[in-house]
Amino acid sequence: MLTITDVSRRSGVASSALRFYEERGLIASERAGSGHRRYPRSVLRRIAFIVFAQRIGLTLEEIGAEFTKLPADRVPSRRDWSRLSGQWTKRIDQRIAELQRLRSGLTECIGCGCLSIDRCSLANPADMAGRKGPGPRYWLG
Amino acid sequence: MLTITDVSRRSGVASSALRFYEERGLIASERAGSGHRRYPRSVLRRIAFIVFAQRIGLTLEEIGAEFTKLPADRVPSRRDWSRLSGQWTKRIDQRIAELQRLRSGLTECIGCGCLSIDRCSLANPADMAGRKGPGPRYWLG
DNA sequence: CTACAAGTTCAAGTGAACTTGAAGTCAAGC
DNA sequence: GCTTGACTTCAAGTTCACTTGAACTTGTAG
């Protein structure tokens, strides 16, 4: 069993963040008699997945939703994890595709001089249909 | 000259956001006698660039810094704009490269079972060296 | 036994990019 | 002349993913 500092050092994630993840139900801990947290080694893989998923662009809420697909009664196997990650590959591909569109737009569309918002397909309102509601909007779409 | 609603409709950017951009010095307006904003058509291209740059991953502050490279005394030409965007292509390429690394990591690294945070090169602390300071961290790096 | 490092909870702060609300002014149609 | 809608400013609220600080308790090395 690992202390919170152990986990923090091995994962590169701050202890405050680990407590935060726990509060959000993304990870769990047992307690020593003192009230201090004790983590099983399996938590490291779970945290790795959180970090990974974030870099791909999932929010903590989405990550939590993914985790409900894991078996609750046992430590997840390699198969369990890879079932989850299958969906993510699709997401990465979409993101790469968008970036490639943007990239070709930079050379073509600016080159052709059409970068006026109402005509250019790269920066028109239709592309922004997904943006709604308050708060910061990530370019992830 | 366009009203704020004209610009909002043509750009897909809310009027509140346009006022916000103006406050941040990203766009400018003249005023009608009434005090209402009036925009020259050239503001549309400027806004297109803001939207574009955001989808690539630049912050408003970075976008502002880019804009200082534009001529202050005249409406920017096509050449002026494309000089700016040259840098962005590099940035997109880096981002695509990272996503491709993540993508191959999903199949290879999880397949091989090494996704324990301290051994896997895809989710280790070294990759997170750039993350520091408070606030949300975007996966842009 | 005493430092002091490491742990705890809970409330409040942070930064980015806006949005929302209040309270008031201005313009256009009937 | 009046209503309706568009516009103004300014302050405060929102989301996300945390961090920071206060006040306190536990564990460990000398």
Side-chain angles (χ1 to χ4, degrees):
Chain A
M1 299 296 263
L2 308 161
T3 68
I4 197 167
T5 320
D6 290 338
V7 174
S8 171
R9 205 176 43 245
R10 294 182 81 84
S11 67
V13 174
S15 338
S16 62
L18 294 174
R19 291 196 199 93
F20 179 72
Y21 290 161
E22 186 170 328
E23 201 182 332
R24 287 301 206 78
L26 293 174
I27 57 175
S29 64
E30 286 161 35
R31 297 302 177 112
S34 58
H36 291 187
R37 286 172 178 79
R38 287 301 123 90
Y39 296 95
R41 311 199 106 268
S42 64
V43 84
L44 288 174
R45 181 170 282 234
R46 212 172 161 99
I47 294 167
F49 236 69
I50 295 173
V51 170
F52 209 109
Q54 281 188 298
R55 294 190 77 75
I56 288 166
L58 287 97
T59 64
L60 290 186
E61 198 176 331
E62 289 174 307
I63 295 169
E66 291 291 304
F67 279 169
T68 64
K69 297 177 192 159
L70 290 173
D73 52 331
R74 57 183 168 78
V75 173
S77 70
R78 197 173 306 172
R79 266 193 99 73
D80 294 323
W81 286 120
S82 69
R83 234 194 324 272
L84 285 199
S85 64
Q87 292 299 98
W88 302 3
T89 306
K90 237 173 50 197
R91 192 155 174 160
I92 294 178
D93 285 341
Q94 283 169 9
R95 188 64 200 128
I96 290 178
E98 191 197 351
L99 285 174
Q100 273 160 352
R101 272 197 305 123
L102 285 167
R103 196 186 178 296
S104 74
L106 269 183
T107 47
E108 285 167 33
C109 198
I110 291 179
C112 84
C114 80
L115 192 71
S116 68
I117 234 171
D118 49 332
R119 277 183 295 154
C120 180
S121 68
L122 285 151
N124 71 6
D127 264 359
M128 304 173 65
R131 313 174 128 230
K132 49 174 192 248
R137 283 78 181 282
Y138 305 97
W139 57 289
L140 309 168
Chain B
M1 298 296 264
L2 308 161
T3 68
I4 197 166
T5 321
D6 290 337
V7 174
S8 172
R9 206 176 43 247
R10 295 182 80 84
S11 67
V13 173
S15 339
S16 61
L18 295 174
R19 291 196 197 94
F20 178 71
Y21 290 161
E22 185 171 330
E23 203 182 332
R24 287 302 204 78
L26 293 174
I27 57 176
S29 64
E30 286 160 35
R31 297 301 176 113
S34 58
H36 291 186
R37 287 173 178 80
R38 288 299 124 93
Y39 296 95
R41 309 197 109 272
S42 64
V43 83
L44 287 173
R45 183 170 281 237
R46 212 173 161 96
I47 294 167
F49 236 69
I50 295 173
V51 170
F52 210 110
Q54 280 188 299
R55 294 191 74 76
I56 288 165
L58 287 100
T59 64
L60 291 185
E61 197 175 332
E62 290 173 308
I63 295 170
E66 291 291 304
F67 279 168
T68 64
K69 298 178 193 158
L70 289 174
D73 52 331
R74 55 181 169 81
V75 173
S77 70
R78 197 172 307 174
R79 266 193 98 72
D80 293 323
W81 285 119
S82 70
R83 232 195 325 272
L84 284 198
S85 65
Q87 291 299 96
W88 301 4
T89 306
K90 236 172 51 196
R91 193 154 174 159
I92 294 179
D93 285 341
Q94 283 169 10
R95 187 65 200 127
I96 290 178
E98 191 197 351
L99 285 174
Q100 272 160 352
R101 272 197 304 121
L102 286 167
R103 196 188 178 297
S104 75
L106 268 182
T107 48
E108 285 168 33
C109 199
I110 291 179
C112 86
C114 80
L115 192 70
S116 67
I117 233 168
D118 48 333
R119 277 183 295 154
C120 180
S121 68
L122 284 150
N124 70 7
D127 264 0
M128 304 174 66
R131 311 173 130 230
K132 48 173 190 252
R137 283 77 179 281
Y138 305 98
W139 57 290
L140 309 169

